[in-house]
Amino acid sequence: MDFSANHIGFVIASYALSFVCLAVLVLTTLGRDRKLRAEAERLDTQRKKARS
């Protein structure tokens, strides 16, 4: 990559924006997974109590 090119700022900004977008997607996915696992555990606990 030629760092003396006129458009290097655009290239760096594009990579930075891509990284930020991917990070947000990963964090959103992990947060959703955590929420769904907690809900599944809560429902499983309720189901076990209902059987008793």
Side-chain angles (χ1 to χ4, degrees):
M1 186 178 336
D2 184 13
F3 286 104
S4 64
N6 291 335
H7 63 281
I8 192 66
F10 175 77
V11 172
I12 292 172
S14 297
Y15 275 108
L17 184 61
S18 296
F19 175 76
V20 168
C21 289
L22 285 173
V24 168
L25 284 172
V26 167
L27 292 175
T28 302
T29 302
L30 292 175
R32 187 178 195 187
D33 180 60
R34 178 183 287 186
K35 180 180 133 184
L36 289 173
R37 284 180 191 261
E39 186 177 349
E41 184 66 32
R42 181 183 57 81
L43 290 172
D44 191 39
T45 303
Q46 285 179 353
R47 186 178 51 122
K48 287 179 182 177
K49 285 182 182 178
R51 284 185 179 178
S52 301

